Structure formats: structure tokens, C-alpha cells
Coordinates of all heavy atoms in Angstrom, one line a residue:
M282 N -32.1 4.7 -2.1 CA -31.0 4.4 -3.1 C -30.8 2.9 -3.0 O -30.7 2.3 -1.9 CB -29.7 5.1 -2.7 CG -28.6 4.8 -3.7 SD -27.3 5.9 -3.4 CE -26.0 4.7 -3.1
T283 N -30.7 2.2 -4.2 CA -30.5 0.8 -4.2 C -29.1 0.5 -4.6 O -28.6 1.1 -5.6 CB -31.5 0.2 -5.3 OG1 -32.8 0.5 -5.0 CG2 -31.3 -1.3 -5.4
N284 N -28.4 -0.3 -3.9 CA -27.1 -0.7 -4.2 C -27.2 -1.8 -5.3 O -28.1 -2.6 -5.3 CB -26.4 -1.3 -3.0 CG -26.1 -0.3 -2.0 OD1 -25.9 0.9 -2.3 ND2 -26.0 -0.7 -0.7
S285 N -26.2 -1.8 -6.2 CA -26.2 -2.7 -7.3 C -24.9 -3.4 -7.5 O -23.9 -2.8 -7.1 CB -26.6 -2.0 -8.6 OG -25.7 -1.0 -8.9
S286 N -24.9 -4.6 -8.0 CA -23.7 -5.3 -8.3 C -23.7 -5.8 -9.7 O -24.8 -5.9 -10.3 CB -23.5 -6.5 -7.3 OG -24.5 -7.4 -7.5
W287 N -22.6 -6.0 -10.3 CA -22.5 -6.4 -11.7 C -21.1 -7.1 -11.9 O -20.2 -7.0 -11.1 CB -22.7 -5.3 -12.7 CG -21.6 -4.3 -12.7 CD1 -20.5 -4.2 -13.5 CD2 -21.4 -3.2 -11.8 NE1 -19.7 -3.1 -13.2 CE2 -20.3 -2.5 -12.1 CE3 -22.2 -2.7 -10.7 CZ2 -19.8 -1.3 -11.5 CZ3 -21.7 -1.6 -10.0 CH2 -20.5 -0.9 -10.4
T288 N -21.0 -7.8 -13.1 CA -19.8 -8.5 -13.5 C -19.3 -7.8 -14.8 O -20.1 -7.6 -15.7 CB -20.1 -10.0 -13.8 OG1 -20.6 -10.6 -12.6 CG2 -18.8 -10.7 -14.2
E289 N -18.0 -7.5 -14.8 CA -17.4 -7.0 -16.0 C -16.5 -8.1 -16.6 O -15.7 -8.7 -15.8 CB -16.5 -5.8 -15.6 CG -17.4 -4.6 -15.3 CD -16.6 -3.3 -15.4 OE1 -15.5 -3.2 -16.0 OE2 -17.1 -2.3 -14.9
I290 N -16.6 -8.3 -17.9 CA -15.7 -9.2 -18.6 C -14.4 -8.5 -18.9 O -14.4 -7.4 -19.4 CB -16.4 -9.7 -19.9 CG1 -17.8 -10.3 -19.6 CG2 -15.5 -10.7 -20.6 CD1 -17.8 -11.5 -18.6
L291 N -13.3 -9.2 -18.6 CA -12.0 -8.6 -18.9 C -11.2 -9.4 -19.9 O -11.4 -10.7 -20.0 CB -11.1 -8.7 -17.6 CG -11.8 -8.0 -16.3 CD1 -10.9 -8.3 -15.1 CD2 -12.0 -6.6 -16.6
R292 N -10.4 -8.8 -20.8 CA -9.7 -9.4 -21.8 C -8.3 -8.7 -22.0 O -8.3 -7.5 -22.1 CB -10.5 -9.4 -23.1 CG -9.8 -10.1 -24.3 CD -10.6 -10.2 -25.5 NE -11.2 -8.9 -25.9 CZ -10.7 -8.0 -26.8 NH1 -9.6 -8.3 -27.3 NH2 -11.3 -6.9 -27.1
C293 N -7.3 -9.4 -22.1 CA -5.9 -8.9 -22.4 C -5.8 -8.6 -23.9 O -6.0 -9.6 -24.6 CB -4.8 -9.8 -21.8 SG -3.2 -9.1 -22.2
P294 N -5.4 -7.4 -24.3 CA -5.2 -7.2 -25.7 C -4.0 -7.9 -26.3 O -3.9 -8.1 -27.5 CB -5.0 -5.7 -25.8 CG -4.5 -5.3 -24.5 CD -5.1 -6.3 -23.5
K295 N -3.1 -8.3 -25.5 CA -1.9 -9.0 -26.0 C -2.0 -10.5 -26.0 O -1.9 -11.2 -27.1 CB -0.6 -8.6 -25.2 CG 0.7 -9.2 -25.7 CD 1.8 -8.6 -25.0 CE 3.1 -9.2 -25.5 NZ 4.3 -8.8 -24.7
C296 N -2.2 -11.1 -24.9 CA -2.2 -12.6 -24.8 C -3.6 -13.2 -24.9 O -3.7 -14.4 -25.0 CB -1.6 -13.0 -23.4 SG -2.5 -12.7 -22.0
R297 N -4.6 -12.3 -24.9 CA -6.0 -12.7 -25.1 C -6.6 -13.5 -24.0 O -7.6 -14.2 -24.1 CB -6.2 -13.5 -26.4 CG -5.7 -12.8 -27.7 CD -6.7 -11.7 -28.0 NE -6.4 -11.1 -29.3 CZ -6.6 -9.9 -29.6 NH1 -7.2 -9.1 -28.7 NH2 -6.3 -9.4 -30.7
R298 N -6.0 -13.5 -22.8 CA -6.6 -14.2 -21.6 C -7.9 -13.4 -21.3 O -8.0 -12.2 -21.6 CB -5.7 -14.0 -20.4 CG -4.5 -15.0 -20.5 CD -3.8 -15.0 -19.1 NE -2.9 -16.1 -19.0 CZ -1.6 -16.0 -19.1 NH1 -1.1 -14.9 -19.3 NH2 -0.9 -17.1 -19.0
T299 N -8.8 -14.2 -20.8 CA -10.1 -13.6 -20.4 C -10.4 -13.9 -19.0 O -9.8 -14.8 -18.4 CB -11.3 -14.1 -21.3 OG1 -11.4 -15.5 -21.2 CG2 -11.1 -13.7 -22.8
G300 N -11.2 -13.1 -18.4 CA -11.6 -13.3 -17.0 C -12.7 -12.3 -16.6 O -13.4 -11.8 -17.6
H301 N -13.0 -12.2 -15.4 CA -14.1 -11.3 -15.0 C -13.8 -10.7 -13.6 O -12.9 -11.1 -12.9 CB -15.4 -12.1 -14.9 CG -15.5 -13.1 -13.8 ND1 -14.9 -14.3 -13.9 CD2 -16.0 -13.0 -12.6 CE1 -15.1 -15.0 -12.8 NE2 -15.7 -14.2 -11.9
A302 N -14.5 -9.6 -13.4 CA -14.4 -8.9 -12.1 C -15.8 -8.6 -11.6 O -16.7 -8.3 -12.4 CB -13.7 -7.6 -12.2
E303 N -16.1 -8.9 -10.3 CA -17.4 -8.6 -9.7 C -17.2 -7.3 -8.9 O -16.3 -7.1 -8.1 CB -17.8 -9.7 -8.8 CG -18.0 -11.0 -9.6 CD -18.4 -12.2 -8.7 OE1 -18.8 -12.0 -7.6 OE2 -18.2 -13.3 -9.2
L304 N -18.2 -6.4 -9.2 CA -18.1 -5.0 -8.5 C -19.5 -4.8 -7.8 O -20.5 -5.3 -8.2 CB -17.9 -4.0 -9.6 CG -16.5 -4.0 -10.2 CD1 -16.6 -4.7 -11.6 CD2 -15.9 -2.7 -10.4
F305 N -19.4 -3.8 -6.9 CA -20.6 -3.5 -6.1 C -20.5 -1.9 -5.9 O -19.5 -1.4 -5.5 CB -20.5 -4.2 -4.7 CG -21.6 -3.9 -3.8 CD1 -22.8 -4.5 -4.0 CD2 -21.5 -3.0 -2.8 CE1 -23.9 -4.3 -3.1 CE2 -22.5 -2.7 -1.9 CZ -23.8 -3.4 -2.1
E306 N -21.6 -1.3 -6.2 CA -21.7 0.2 -6.1 C -22.0 0.5 -4.6 O -23.0 0.1 -4.1 CB -22.8 0.8 -7.0 CG -22.9 2.3 -6.9 CD -23.9 2.8 -7.8 OE1 -25.0 2.3 -7.9 OE2 -23.6 3.8 -8.5
I307 N -21.1 1.3 -4.0 CA -21.3 1.7 -2.6 C -21.9 3.1 -2.5 O -22.5 3.5 -1.4 CB -20.0 1.5 -1.7 CG1 -18.9 2.3 -2.4 CG2 -19.7 0.1 -1.6 CD1 -17.6 2.3 -1.5
A308 N -21.7 3.9 -3.5 CA -22.2 5.3 -3.6 C -22.2 5.7 -5.1 O -21.5 5.0 -5.8 CB -21.4 6.2 -2.7
P309 N -22.8 6.7 -5.5 CA -22.7 7.2 -6.8 C -21.3 7.4 -7.2 O -20.5 8.1 -6.5 CB -23.5 8.5 -6.9 CG -24.5 8.3 -5.8 CD -23.8 7.5 -4.7
F310 N -20.8 6.7 -8.3 CA -19.5 6.8 -8.8 C -18.4 6.3 -7.9 O -17.2 6.6 -8.0 CB -19.1 8.3 -9.2 CG -20.1 8.8 -10.2 CD1 -21.0 9.8 -9.8 CD2 -20.1 8.4 -11.5 CE1 -21.9 10.3 -10.8 CE2 -21.0 8.9 -12.5 CZ -21.9 9.8 -12.1
R311 N -18.8 5.5 -6.9 CA -17.9 4.8 -6.0 C -18.2 3.3 -6.0 O -19.3 2.9 -5.6 CB -18.0 5.4 -4.6 CG -17.5 6.8 -4.5 CD -17.1 7.3 -3.2 NE -16.1 6.4 -2.6 CZ -16.0 6.3 -1.3 NH1 -16.7 6.9 -0.5 NH2 -15.0 5.5 -0.9
N312 N -17.3 2.5 -6.4 CA -17.5 1.1 -6.5 C -16.5 0.3 -5.6 O -15.4 0.8 -5.4 CB -17.3 0.6 -8.0 CG -18.3 1.4 -8.9 OD1 -19.4 1.6 -8.5 ND2 -17.8 1.7 -10.1
R313 N -16.9 -0.8 -5.2 CA -16.0 -1.7 -4.5 C -15.8 -3.0 -5.3 O -16.8 -3.5 -5.8 CB -16.6 -2.1 -3.1 CG -15.7 -3.1 -2.4 CD -16.1 -3.3 -1.0 NE -15.8 -2.1 -0.3 CZ -16.5 -1.6 0.7 NH1 -17.6 -2.1 1.1 NH2 -16.1 -0.5 1.3
I314 N -14.6 -3.4 -5.5 CA -14.3 -4.6 -6.2 C -14.4 -5.8 -5.3 O -13.7 -5.8 -4.3 CB -12.9 -4.6 -6.9 CG1 -12.8 -3.4 -7.8 CG2 -12.6 -5.9 -7.6 CD1 -11.4 -3.0 -8.3
L315 N -15.3 -6.7 -5.6 CA -15.5 -7.9 -4.7 C -14.6 -9.0 -5.1 O -14.1 -9.7 -4.2 CB -16.9 -8.3 -4.8 CG -18.0 -7.3 -4.4 CD1 -19.4 -7.9 -4.7 CD2 -17.8 -6.9 -2.9
K316 N -14.3 -9.2 -6.4 CA -13.6 -10.4 -6.8 C -13.0 -10.1 -8.2 O -13.7 -9.4 -9.0 CB -14.5 -11.6 -6.9 CG -13.9 -12.9 -7.3 CD -14.9 -14.0 -7.2 CE -14.4 -15.3 -7.8 NZ -15.4 -16.3 -7.8
V317 N -11.8 -10.6 -8.5 CA -11.2 -10.5 -9.8 C -10.5 -11.8 -10.1 O -10.0 -12.5 -9.3 CB -10.2 -9.3 -9.9 CG1 -9.0 -9.5 -9.0 CG2 -9.8 -9.0 -11.3
S318 N -10.6 -12.2 -11.4 CA -10.1 -13.5 -11.8 C -8.6 -13.5 -11.6 O -7.9 -12.5 -11.6 CB -10.3 -13.7 -13.3 OG -11.6 -13.8 -13.6
E319 N -8.0 -14.7 -11.4 CA -6.6 -14.9 -11.0 C -5.6 -14.4 -12.1 O -4.5 -14.1 -11.8 CB -6.3 -16.3 -10.6 CG -6.4 -17.3 -11.7 CD -6.2 -18.7 -11.3 OE1 -6.5 -19.1 -10.1 OE2 -5.5 -19.5 -12.0
D320 N -6.0 -14.3 -13.4 CA -5.1 -13.9 -14.4 C -5.1 -12.3 -14.5 O -4.3 -11.8 -15.3 CB -5.6 -14.4 -15.8 CG -5.3 -15.9 -15.9 OD1 -4.4 -16.4 -15.2 OD2 -6.1 -16.6 -16.7
F321 N -5.9 -11.6 -13.7 CA -5.9 -10.2 -13.7 C -5.6 -9.7 -12.3 O -5.8 -10.4 -11.3 CB -7.2 -9.7 -14.3 CG -7.4 -10.0 -15.7 CD1 -8.0 -11.2 -16.1 CD2 -7.0 -9.1 -16.7 CE1 -8.1 -11.6 -17.4 CE2 -7.2 -9.5 -18.0 CZ -7.7 -10.7 -18.4
E322 N -5.2 -8.4 -12.3 CA -5.0 -7.7 -11.0 C -5.5 -6.3 -11.1 O -5.8 -5.8 -12.1 CB -3.5 -7.8 -10.6 CG -2.6 -7.1 -11.6 CD -1.1 -7.4 -11.4 OE1 -0.8 -8.3 -10.5 OE2 -0.3 -6.8 -12.0
I323 N -5.6 -5.7 -9.9 CA -6.1 -4.3 -9.8 C -4.9 -3.3 -9.9 O -3.9 -3.6 -9.3 CB -6.8 -4.0 -8.5 CG1 -8.0 -5.0 -8.4 CG2 -7.3 -2.6 -8.4 CD1 -8.6 -5.1 -7.0
R324 N -5.0 -2.4 -10.8 CA -4.0 -1.3 -10.9 C -4.6 0.0 -10.4 O -5.7 0.3 -10.8 CB -3.4 -1.2 -12.3 CG -4.4 -0.8 -13.3 CD -3.9 -0.8 -14.7 NE -3.4 0.5 -15.0 CZ -2.7 0.8 -16.1 NH1 -2.3 -0.1 -16.9 NH2 -2.3 2.1 -16.3
T325 N -3.8 0.7 -9.7 CA -4.3 2.0 -9.1 C -3.3 3.1 -9.5 O -2.1 2.9 -9.3 CB -4.4 1.9 -7.6 OG1 -5.3 0.8 -7.3 CG2 -5.0 3.2 -7.0
D326 N -3.8 4.2 -10.0 CA -3.0 5.4 -10.2 C -3.8 6.6 -9.8 O -4.8 6.5 -9.2 CB -2.6 5.4 -11.7 CG -3.7 5.5 -12.7 OD1 -4.8 5.9 -12.3 OD2 -3.5 5.1 -13.9
E327 N -3.3 7.8 -10.3 CA -3.9 9.1 -9.8 C -5.4 9.2 -10.4 O -6.1 10.0 -9.8 CB -3.1 10.2 -10.3 CG -2.9 10.4 -11.7 CD -1.8 9.6 -12.4 OE1 -1.0 8.9 -11.6 OE2 -1.7 9.5 -13.6
R328 N -5.7 8.5 -11.4 CA -7.1 8.6 -11.9 C -8.1 7.6 -11.3 O -9.3 7.7 -11.5 CB -7.1 8.3 -13.4 CG -6.3 9.3 -14.2 CD -6.2 8.9 -15.7 NE -5.6 7.6 -15.7 CZ -4.7 7.2 -16.6 NH1 -4.4 8.0 -17.6 NH2 -4.2 6.0 -16.6
G329 N -7.6 6.6 -10.5 CA -8.4 5.7 -9.9 C -7.9 4.2 -10.0 O -6.7 4.0 -10.2
S330 N -8.8 3.3 -10.0 CA -8.5 1.9 -10.1 C -9.0 1.3 -11.4 O -10.1 1.7 -11.9 CB -9.1 1.1 -9.0 OG -8.5 1.5 -7.8
D331 N -8.3 0.3 -12.0 CA -8.7 -0.4 -13.1 C -8.1 -1.8 -13.1 O -7.4 -2.1 -12.1 CB -8.2 0.4 -14.4 CG -9.2 0.1 -15.6 OD1 -10.0 -0.8 -15.5 OD2 -9.0 0.8 -16.6
F332 N -8.2 -2.6 -14.1 CA -7.7 -3.9 -14.2 C -6.6 -4.1 -15.2 O -6.6 -3.4 -16.2 CB -8.8 -4.9 -14.5 CG -10.0 -4.8 -13.5 CD1 -11.1 -4.1 -13.9 CD2 -9.9 -5.3 -12.3 CE1 -12.2 -3.9 -13.0 CE2 -10.9 -5.2 -11.4 CZ -12.1 -4.5 -11.7
Q333 N -5.6 -5.0 -14.9 CA -4.6 -5.2 -15.9 C -4.3 -6.7 -15.9 O -4.5 -7.4 -14.9 CB -3.3 -4.4 -15.6 CG -2.6 -4.9 -14.4 CD -1.3 -4.0 -14.2 OE1 -1.2 -2.9 -14.7 NE2 -0.4 -4.5 -13.4
C334 N -3.7 -7.2 -17.0 CA -3.3 -8.6 -17.1 C -2.2 -8.8 -16.1 O -1.2 -8.0 -16.1 CB -2.9 -8.9 -18.5 SG -2.3 -10.6 -18.8
R335 N -2.2 -9.9 -15.4 CA -1.2 -10.2 -14.4 C 0.2 -10.5 -15.0 O 1.2 -10.1 -14.5 CB -1.6 -11.3 -13.5 CG -0.7 -11.6 -12.3 CD -1.2 -12.7 -11.4 NE -2.5 -12.4 -10.8 CZ -2.6 -11.7 -9.6 NH1 -1.5 -11.2 -9.0 NH2 -3.8 -11.5 -9.1
S336 N 0.2 -11.1 -16.2 CA 1.5 -11.5 -16.8 C 2.0 -10.4 -17.8 O 3.2 -10.1 -17.8 CB 1.4 -12.8 -17.5 OG 0.4 -12.8 -18.5
C337 N 1.1 -9.8 -18.6 CA 1.5 -8.8 -19.6 C 1.6 -7.4 -19.0 O 2.2 -6.5 -19.6 CB 0.5 -8.8 -20.8 SG 0.5 -10.4 -21.6
K338 N 0.9 -7.1 -17.9 CA 0.9 -5.8 -17.3 C 0.2 -4.7 -18.2 O 0.5 -3.5 -18.0 CB 2.3 -5.3 -16.8 CG 3.0 -6.2 -15.9 CD 2.2 -6.4 -14.6 CE 3.0 -7.2 -13.6 NZ 2.2 -7.8 -12.6
L339 N -0.6 -5.2 -19.1 CA -1.4 -4.2 -20.0 C -2.8 -4.0 -19.4 O -3.3 -5.0 -18.9 CB -1.4 -4.8 -21.4 CG -0.1 -4.8 -22.2 CD1 -0.3 -5.5 -23.5 CD2 0.4 -3.4 -22.3
P340 N -3.3 -2.9 -19.6 CA -4.7 -2.6 -19.1 C -5.7 -3.6 -19.8 O -5.6 -3.9 -21.0 CB -5.0 -1.2 -19.6 CG -3.7 -0.6 -19.7 CD -2.8 -1.6 -20.2
A341 N -6.6 -4.1 -19.1 CA -7.6 -5.1 -19.6 C -8.6 -4.3 -20.4 O -9.0 -3.1 -20.2 CB -8.3 -5.8 -18.5
L342 N -9.1 -4.9 -21.5 CA -10.1 -4.4 -22.3 C -11.5 -4.9 -21.9 O -11.5 -6.1 -21.3 CB -9.9 -4.8 -23.8 CG -8.6 -4.4 -24.5 CD1 -8.5 -5.0 -25.8 CD2 -8.6 -2.8 -24.5
P343 N -12.6 -4.2 -22.0 CA -13.9 -4.7 -21.6 C -14.4 -5.7 -22.6 O -13.9 -5.9 -23.7 CB -14.8 -3.4 -21.7 CG -14.0 -2.4 -22.6 CD -12.6 -2.8 -22.5

């Protein structure tokens, strides 16, 4: 099995800030977040983790 890494582009639907997150696959369907832009933060709920705008608190769009 080969581990892979990638970058996801993030965008806030309200304020239009943009950023990116660097992720790394540690197992099938299990990822580790290596880095996220300062304008965004990680949000965690019962469905898992995702990204949100730090100032607007809205989920980031891809």
C-alpha cells in the first residue's frame, strides 16, 4: 500500500477568503491533516472532521 498526500483548496462561501489544507492518507478512508491555512480551522462533529472559516464559522467549500 502506498501512502499519498495532497492539497485541498478551501474557500469561504461568505467572505470569499481562500486557503489550503495539506492531508496525508494513513489508511483507507483515514486521513491526517498536516497543515491548514491560518484563515481556516478544523471542525469536528459526529460525522468526522472538516474545515471552516475561522472568522465566519461557515464550512469551507472545495
Side-chain angles (χ1 to χ4, degrees):
M282 182 170 120
T283 304
N284 292 330
S285 61
S286 62
W287 68 96
T288 300
E289 289 199 14
I290 304 301
L291 308 173
R292 180 174 52 93
C293 177
K295 182 176 180 183
C296 70
R297 302 289 187 210
R298 282 190 168 105
T299 60
H301 69 277
E303 295 178 22
L304 296 98
F305 181 78
E306 183 179 44
I307 56 176
F310 303 105
R311 294 200 56 207
N312 303 320
R313 175 170 290 144
I314 300 166
L315 300 175
K316 182 179 174 183
V317 64
S318 296
E319 65 182 38
D320 290 332
F321 293 87
E322 59 192 10
I323 302 165
R324 62 183 268 169
T325 304
D326 60 20
E327 63 277 352
R328 295 176 303 219
S330 298
D331 209 351
F332 304 101
Q333 71 181 18
C334 178
R335 190 175 294 275
S336 61
C337 298
K338 303 297 185 202
L339 291 174
L342 299 174

